Amino acid sequence: MKFQLLPSTFDENGCASARQHLSCFVIDDCVAIDAGSLAMATSSAQKKQIRDVVLTHAHLDHIAGLPLFIDDLFAKLKVPVRVFGTKEVIKVIERDIFNWDVYPSFSELKNEHTTVLEYRTFETNREFLVKHLRFKPIAVNHKVPTVGFVISDNNKTFALSGDTSEMDEFWEVLNVEKKLSALLIECAFPDELEELALVSHHLTPNRLKKELEKFTQKDCPIYVINIKPMYFDEVVRQVKALKIKNLEILKVGRVYNL
Ligand SMILES: [Zn+2]
């Protein structure tokens, strides 16, 4: 299994930069988790293959590319784009995005082959299949209903926290999983913005350290994701200062093979 965090910003030379404004992970070039930069940063091969998008929550930085992705593919789709989310998340994107005011209600539209958007609702703690992947959704602790996932193919398993603050259930589930090949966990703000992190339900390096003490798979590679770009350098410095074995910053754009 391979995964990649798609880029979402450009440096002064027009090349992808390490700053992560939007969140969109692609697994095996065919399944997306979140859709922040889905329309903008997918390769043409990924555009051809991705028809399944699994959402952690409905915040804009995680869904921004979804309307544009469907729009871009509208005439070519032979099967619908299937959007997986909890009923709370589906309700928000139907009400606030695909409402004809902000963007077309694609679930009502067909091209000459197919409907272009279908929803698949899932419940927390109930596994579901997406292509060759098994997803286990676990409620995490964010400002809005949000899930993290344990994701497995027949061979490997990894976990992704989504946006979150302190968690218990997530760790309870991970700690009884068979060996994980990777854990991706957020750390949005630097330590000096503890108050803002608390109010918005995100982690800081200090609080990430406390969270990782709850994780019993001590050899698992851990990658930090969802760092607010404005504070990127500071968060990276503070994460490195934690000196936690196997903890590093996930590289935007790099393909990770598990
Ligand atoms: Zn969020």
Side-chain angles (χ1 to χ4, degrees):
M1 181 162 40
K2 62 179 183 176
F3 67 83
Q4 180 186 22
L5 169 60
L6 297 183
S8 56
T9 53
F10 306 94
D11 64 17
E12 60 277 16
N13 301 311
C15 299
S17 85
R19 291 154 61 91
Q20 187 193 351
H21 278 278
L22 304 171
S23 187
C24 181
F25 296 87
V26 174
I27 305 177
D28 291 341
D29 289 327
C30 65
V31 174
I33 303 178
D34 287 340
S37 53
L38 185 63
M40 309 76 145
T42 33
S43 66
S44 51
Q46 289 169 338
K47 271 199 183 70
K48 269 190 196 137
Q49 293 189 80
I50 296 171
R51 297 295 177 264
D52 297 284
V53 181
V54 185
L55 298 177
T56 59
H57 66 305
H59 276 161
L60 186 68
D61 47 336
H62 296 255
I63 62 162
L66 183 60
L68 307 173
F69 184 73
I70 300 169
D71 196 0
D72 194 21
L73 292 171
F74 189 92
K76 292 184 198 150
L77 287 169
K78 299 273 175 24
V79 296
V81 174
R82 293 168 291 258
V83 175
F84 295 74
T86 59
K87 66 177 190 307
E88 292 88 352
V89 166
I90 303 291
K91 182 179 160 196
V92 170
I93 62 173
E94 267 291 86
R95 186 191 63 202
D96 298 338
I97 304 292
F98 297 116
N99 56 11
W100 293 109
D101 290 325
V102 174
Y103 229 56
S105 177
F106 282 125
S107 59
E108 298 173 32
L109 297 179
K110 292 179 178 175
N111 65 15
E112 63 176 305
H113 308 290
T114 180
T115 52
V116 295
L117 166 62
E118 284 183 8
Y119 296 112
R120 299 278 191 277
T121 305
F122 61 75
E123 291 175 27
T124 54
N125 303 319
R126 287 233 177 138
E127 290 188 351
F128 59 94
L129 294 172
V130 183
K131 294 211 140 175
H132 59 299
L133 302 171
R134 197 170 66 249
F135 279 73
K136 184 184 291 182
I138 310 150
V140 294
N141 177 13
H142 195 34
K143 193 74 178 172
V144 295
T146 302
V147 295
F149 296 110
V150 176
I151 301 146
S152 312
D153 62 7
N154 285 327
N155 192 19
K156 302 279 184 174
T157 301
F158 78 102
L160 176 143
S161 71
D163 282 358
T164 191
S165 183
E166 278 85 358
M167 308 171 281
D168 288 315
E169 190 183 356
F170 186 76
W171 300 118
E172 286 161 15
V173 172
L174 261 55
N175 288 341
V176 296
E177 276 291 329
K178 62 175 188 174
K179 191 173 175 340
L180 294 173
S181 298
L183 164 64
L184 279 52
I185 184 162
E186 84 121 88
C187 187
F189 290 111
D191 289 325
E192 55 272 27
L193 292 179
E194 168 95 20
E195 278 300 310
L196 182 56
L198 278 171
V199 169
S200 57
H201 292 227
H202 283 290
L203 291 172
T204 61
N206 264 336
R207 290 162 72 221
L208 171 64
K209 181 170 185 246
K210 291 198 184 96
E211 285 302 291
L212 293 177
E213 285 165 8
K214 303 175 191 170
F215 184 39
T216 56
Q217 297 200 26
K218 297 300 180 194
D219 291 332
C220 176
I222 302 167
Y223 300 97
V224 174
I225 57 171
N226 301 0
I227 302 169
K228 294 287 178 199
M230 193 187 301
Y231 309 111
F232 183 82
D233 293 342
E234 189 62 0
V235 172
V236 169
R237 194 182 61 71
Q238 292 174 357
V239 165
K240 285 184 176 159
L242 296 176
K243 296 196 182 310
I244 295 175
K245 189 166 68 85
N246 304 329
L247 178 66
E248 58 182 278
I249 310 297
L250 190 84
K251 291 222 164 36
V252 174
R254 178 189 282 186
V255 176
Y256 288 81
N257 283 292
L258 298 180

